[in-house]
Amino acid sequence: MAAVTADRVNKIYRKFASRRKFQTLKSAFLSGDILRAFRPDETFRALHDVSFDVGEGETFGIIGQNGSGKSTLLKIVAGISRPTTGTILHKGRISALIELGAGFHPEITGRENVYINGIMLGLTKKEIQRRFDEIVKFAELEDFIDSPVKTYSSGMYMRLGFAVAINVDPEILIIDEVLAVGDASFIPKCLDKIHEFRRRKKTIFLVTHGMDVIELLCDRALWLKKGGVQRIGASKMVCDAYMADVTQREEVAMEALAAAGETAPESAAGEEDSRSPNRWGSREIEIYEVKMLDPQRKEKYVFQTDDPAIIRIKAWTRNKVTDFVFGIGIFNTNGVCCYGTNSHIEKYDPVAFEGEGTIELRLDSLNLIEGTYFLDVATHRRDGQPYDYHRSKLTFRVHSKIKDVGVFRPVHAWDFSPEIRVKAVVSEAAR
Amino acid sequence: MIVNQEPRFKGFSFFNRSEYMFKNLATLFKYRSLLQTLVSRELKARYRGSFFGFLWSFFNPMLLMLVYSLVFSYILKQQNPETTPYSLYLFCGILPWTWFASSVLEASNSLMINSGLIKKILFPAEVLPLVNVFANLVHFLFGLPILLLFFIYYNYETPLTPFIAYQHPITWYILLLPVVMLVQLIFTAGLGFLVASLSVHFRDLQSILGNLVTFWFFATPIIYPLSMPGVKDSSFLKSLLHFNPMTHVMEGYQSCLFYGRLFDWRALGNTFLVSVALFFIGYYVFDKLRDTFPEEV
């Protein structure tokens, strides 16, 4: 039997034009129709025909970009706000961890707040008494429970809020991105508690941006896009589809960025450009176009870690040049140079360059770890005197299923002797 | 246990609508322990950190009474024999009025102040204005012993008493006080619901209310009796005052405490009906606007 059923849930918010933002009693009277003040004149559809069934004991993840309606949906599931149209049915006590410690009063002690918060969440005094020690222990606040909550650090505040909410012992637990705020020792405790809930066959709704958490914890997932259900199904499948969409969106954004940074050969020598802090040099040779491509020569700025890539540089010169070097540098967001090379280091001695030309650097496999990278390109004399240096000319992203660390991912393979038995998890991740 | 959460009916017919309303009203009773907890939180939080703490609930009315006594015994001497001792008469009205006025003003802000609760957790919003009404009721109850002390001071011979009036002893009619309080409670709660829900949409209401309550104070026989010549002779003022439900509530207090006689039960009975009507209207408006609270506060 389904624990939660949503049937064509729509949520429409009123959107205020600036005129209506300051709607007042006076203006409502003056306009003659007080009821009109309650009528929205511009609306925003936060949820669009959302339907789903969540079975008892199921862990259900909700993913989507910021503003896709995740929190609105959770609030509707929790009963905090109501759908504009459509129905939502659920059975059993719900506890929503949407904001931890909502309703704590700063002036009174943690002990009193536990009681008050517990009652607000639907417990009786006796039930709280029974669970009080457990709550305090879970929150690790034994020494501070009799101090006013206003003296708590934000971490203590959050821990106490989580401890109370999780001890409500709900049939349905709703968790909205609260795992993002705990410290390294508290998050595993929260995850343990969530696992315990799963073992006890409770229904859990989980919203998070951590795809690994969704894949780890959830049986099924729902991907919301602009308020509508984009996909619903096994969490792995939904997460992959979502990540593919994110990748595609990033690609579009990066291409736009690359197009904006492009300069035509004629305007390259313009005055503004020479003063730009990200470009310098004598301009005897000018780089006027840099692109990243896939082997089919299609522009591409978002890669998987083992994807091949081509960096194509187009340059031109007015006069014949006999001393030149072309180079690139890949930097991560911390400004660390992950890799840098040039034609001189790699033993290509310059002979002559005249007119317009193209240089392509082929990388068979990027082998970078996940992250955003900046590409520097330059041409200079062998002694290092720059002709044209572009700093952070391009931005590209690398995705990886494997959460390895460092700046570089050498090609590698694991070998284990027979005494050490391992089992490879076959998935796309180990592709 | 199956809790079906039906979407609240969107009001095609009044009867359907009111059926839901009564269901909601019934749940109000379910929330009494929540109400009790929040009232005690409110009271605890108010004086937390002050040296005298809860004693301030006694000190405040006492100091107020002392100020009035000083002013009206020595500076603004009142001649009307009906309201002598004047500070005692005044206090019989001011104490319940403070309950009423503070409740309404605080209730008008209650949803905005507690927006965190309404937005973030499943919380019965109707409890919030009631918390203000009941917290101020508790303060009123704390004021009563102080009032009784002053009754003793004015009516019984003590070494401190400068003159003995014997005019206004405490009578058995004081036992009717809960009846008057009940009428006021229902009236205040109804008004509380109304202003709390309307203030969410019209923030100006709070400023308007501040002034309206002051006007209301003077339009209620608290600092003057109904029998004052200026009121008695003007039929317009008289009907205006009789139209004001708080007039009869205040008269009820003054009858039970100051005059020691039965209140005008017919007038108070009518006021009771008005209060009940206001309560339902207030709750109806509150209930109708309820769905907009999470988005508007």
Side-chain angles (χ1 to χ4, degrees):
Chain A
M1 155 130 207
V4 179
T5 307
D7 183 27
R8 277 167 289 133
V9 167
N10 282 282
K11 182 75 189 180
I12 294 167
Y13 283 121
R14 357 181 354 191
K15 208 156 117 187
F16 292 95
S18 59
R19 177 180 62 86
R20 302 197 62 96
K21 201 161 199 163
F22 302 104
Q23 178 73 53
T24 59
L25 192 59
K26 195 184 93 192
S27 56
F29 273 124
L30 285 182
S31 67
D33 183 3
I34 200 154
L35 281 176
R36 207 161 69 199
F38 295 115
R39 218 173 291 152
D41 54 353
E42 214 185 319
T43 54
F44 169 73
R45 198 163 196 178
L47 288 178
H48 189 106
D49 278 340
V50 175
S51 303
F52 57 83
D53 279 297
V54 175
E56 241 171 279
E58 193 174 6
T59 305
F60 193 70
I62 299 173
I63 55 178
Q65 285 189 301
N66 286 336
S68 59
K70 300 186 300 292
S71 293
T72 305
L73 183 60
L74 278 197
K75 278 184 187 178
I76 286 175
V77 171
I80 295 168
S81 66
R82 293 185 183 283
T84 311
T85 63
T87 54
I88 184 133
L89 300 167
H90 54 66
K91 59 178 230 168
R93 176 149 67 184
I94 288 191
S95 182
L97 278 70
I98 287 176
E99 191 173 284
L100 295 174
F104 279 173
H105 197 296
E107 290 288 342
I108 59 182
T109 66
R111 181 183 300 274
E112 288 162 316
N113 267 312
V114 167
Y115 276 91
I116 294 167
N117 214 235
I119 285 175
M120 281 196 239
L121 296 175
L123 291 175
T124 64
K125 251 199 175 105
K126 273 208 185 98
E127 286 175 303
I128 302 167
Q129 241 146 28
R130 216 161 354 105
R131 294 167 196 186
F132 187 80
D133 289 339
E134 200 185 322
I135 292 172
V136 175
K137 204 172 142 239
F138 187 85
E140 301 164 18
L141 284 172
E142 290 92 341
D143 298 338
F144 301 99
I145 196 66
D146 286 313
S147 315
V149 163
K150 68 176 173 188
T151 64
Y152 284 19
S153 74
S154 51
M156 291 156 82
Y157 194 88
M158 193 219 65
R159 291 205 303 267
L160 193 62
F162 188 90
V164 177
I166 204 109
N167 271 293
V168 170
D169 195 23
E171 302 326 308
I172 301 167
L173 182 69
I174 292 173
I175 304 172
D176 185 5
E177 201 57 278
V178 293
L179 296 174
V181 281
D183 64 17
S185 72
F186 194 65
I187 289 174
K189 268 175 88 173
C190 297
L191 287 175
D192 280 352
K193 202 79 189 173
I194 293 170
H195 275 300
E196 187 196 318
F197 266 76
R198 292 192 57 185
R199 274 199 303 280
R200 284 162 55 199
K201 292 282 165 224
K202 309 269 183 177
T203 309
I204 303 173
F205 275 77
L206 186 67
V207 164
T208 171
H209 288 289
M211 289 306 127
D212 42 344
V213 177
I214 296 267
E215 284 186 29
L216 183 74
L217 288 175
C218 296
D219 306 308
R220 286 197 306 148
L222 167 73
W223 166 20
L224 275 181
K225 191 175 181 182
K226 288 178 184 157
V229 178
Q230 184 78 10
R231 192 165 287 202
I232 187 166
S235 56
K236 179 96 187 65
M237 184 264 287
V238 175
C239 284
D240 282 348
Y242 174 65
M243 284 319 292
D245 184 67
V246 170
T247 306
Q248 195 192 343
R249 198 192 315 276
E250 273 173 354
E251 201 138 345
V252 171
M254 299 256 175
E255 253 165 51
L257 208 67
E262 237 167 60
T263 39
E266 303 89 84
S267 71
E271 274 299 299
E272 299 98 313
D273 247 357
S274 58
R275 266 187 269 116
S276 155
N278 285 327
R279 186 177 180 191
W280 59 84
S282 60
R283 303 288 170 87
E284 276 153 71
I285 301 174
E286 278 180 18
I287 292 171
Y288 65 88
E289 186 193 283
V290 182
K291 277 184 173 160
M292 290 186 81
L293 312 165
D294 65 9
Q296 284 75 44
R297 298 296 189 277
K298 214 172 140 272
E299 266 187 85
K300 185 171 178 177
Y301 297 96
V302 181
F303 301 90
Q304 292 295 322
T305 183
D306 50 1
D307 276 353
I310 294 167
I311 299 167
R312 188 175 72 193
I313 301 166
K314 287 192 176 171
W316 77 297
T317 172
R318 280 170 229 272
N319 311 308
K320 188 171 163 187
V321 186
T322 52
D323 181 3
F324 55 85
V325 176
F326 289 96
I328 59 118
I330 295 170
F331 293 80
N332 68 14
T333 43
N334 295 332
V336 175
C337 179
C338 301
Y339 187 65
T341 188
N342 66 39
S343 55
H344 180 58
I345 300 174
E346 304 207 21
K347 310 286 185 224
Y348 291 97
D349 266 343
V351 179
F353 174 31
E354 208 174 353
E356 286 180 29
T358 304
I359 306 102
E360 282 192 356
L361 181 68
R362 253 189 356 260
L363 298 115
D364 289 337
S365 168
L366 271 176
N367 286 355
L368 290 165
I369 63 155
E370 182 161 277
T372 301
Y373 294 89
F374 303 104
L375 182 72
D376 285 17
V377 291
T379 171
H380 50 83
R381 264 201 283 233
R382 272 173 296 184
D383 63 8
Q385 282 282 345
Y387 292 131
D388 196 1
Y389 194 105
H390 293 263
R391 191 166 63 193
S392 302
K393 177 71 177 162
L394 287 180
T395 310
F396 65 97
R397 265 197 74 80
V398 174
H399 286 291
S400 173
K401 293 265 173 170
I402 302 154
K403 305 290 172 209
D404 43 7
V405 294
V407 292
F408 169 61
R409 184 162 196 275
V411 179
H412 61 275
W414 292 88
D415 278 319
F416 298 93
S417 71
E419 299 80 39
I420 304 161
R421 293 176 54 182
V422 294
K423 200 176 133 213
V425 181
V426 181
S427 75
E428 267 181 80
R431 181 157 53 113
Chain B
M1 181 187 68
I2 294 187
V3 180
N4 270 351
Q5 216 192 333
E6 308 115 25
R8 209 169 269 114
F9 201 78
K10 282 294 166 195
F12 290 135
S13 96
F14 174 78
F15 294 105
N16 253 323
R17 181 74 216 182
S18 58
E19 191 186 304
Y20 279 104
M21 172 179 149
F22 283 117
K23 214 186 225 170
N24 282 336
L25 258 181
T27 59
L28 205 54
F29 184 71
K30 215 176 68 189
Y31 294 126
R32 63 194 182 283
S33 86
L34 176 62
L35 180 64
Q36 193 192 338
T37 314
L38 287 177
V39 168
S40 77
R41 176 184 91 165
E42 186 81 17
L43 297 174
K44 271 180 193 158
R46 184 169 296 190
Y47 298 120
R48 192 51 62 98
S50 68
F51 180 72
F52 286 111
F54 218 68
L55 287 175
W56 275 110
S57 290
F58 292 105
F59 290 166
N60 274 333
M62 186 137 86
L63 292 173
L64 188 69
M65 184 73 196
L66 278 174
V67 170
Y68 280 128
S69 297
L70 270 174
V71 170
F72 290 108
S73 315
Y74 296 105
I75 303 165
L76 286 167
K77 280 191 185 144
Q78 295 296 307
Q79 309 297 326
N80 192 342
E82 205 187 322
T83 57
T84 309
Y86 183 69
S87 45
L88 203 55
Y89 172 82
L90 193 61
F91 209 57
C92 289
I94 281 192
L95 208 53
W97 179 265
T98 308
W99 169 25
F100 171 74
S102 316
S103 300
V104 172
L105 291 176
E106 286 169 21
S108 73
N109 208 11
S110 59
L111 298 182
M112 269 79 83
I113 281 186
N114 293 296
S115 59
L117 296 181
I118 295 174
K119 279 184 172 158
K120 306 287 180 180
I121 60 179
L122 186 51
F123 189 85
E126 57 265 61
V127 171
L128 294 172
L130 288 183
V131 167
N132 296 116
V133 175
F134 279 96
N136 281 299
L137 168 63
V138 173
H139 283 127
F140 168 71
L141 292 176
F142 278 118
L144 280 183
I146 306 296
L147 182 63
L148 294 185
L149 273 183
F150 276 85
F151 262 102
I152 291 166
Y153 173 80
Y154 276 111
N155 290 294
Y156 300 93
E157 201 169 359
T158 64
L160 287 168
T161 317
F163 77 96
I164 303 153
Y166 290 120
Q167 283 170 351
H168 299 285
I170 302 160
T171 65
W172 288 110
Y173 285 106
I174 196 173
L175 295 179
L176 287 174
L177 212 54
V179 178
V180 189
M181 282 164 57
L182 181 72
V183 176
Q184 188 185 345
L185 178 66
I186 296 171
F187 186 78
T188 313
L191 200 60
F193 282 137
L194 197 65
V195 296
S197 50
L198 289 179
S199 306
V200 171
H201 292 273
F202 304 107
R203 303 286 159 121
D204 317 38
L205 194 61
Q206 285 176 58
S207 319
I208 296 172
L209 264 181
N211 295 301
L212 189 73
V213 165
T214 308
F215 172 74
W216 202 338
F217 175 76
F218 288 107
T220 307
I222 296 167
I223 58 168
Y224 55 86
L226 263 183
S227 60
M228 208 168 100
V231 179
K232 212 166 54 181
D233 303 339
S234 156
S235 63
F236 169 72
L237 274 182
K238 224 162 91 180
S239 47
L240 182 80
L241 286 186
H242 277 282
F243 188 67
N244 171 7
M246 285 307 282
T247 299
H248 308 295
V249 174
M250 289 302 142
E251 262 228 308
Y253 284 108
Q254 286 151 1
S255 300
C256 290
L257 292 166
F258 188 76
Y259 298 120
R261 66 185 188 210
L262 183 64
F263 45 71
D264 182 351
W265 60 269
R266 202 168 297 166
L268 198 68
N270 287 335
T271 310
F272 175 73
L273 294 179
V274 169
S275 303
V276 171
L278 181 68
F279 184 84
F280 280 106
I281 292 169
Y283 193 82
Y284 178 75
V285 171
F286 191 95
D287 201 41
K288 212 167 163 72
L289 294 178
R290 173 202 304 275
D291 292 352
T292 63
F293 295 158
E295 287 132 52
E296 299 285 335
V297 293

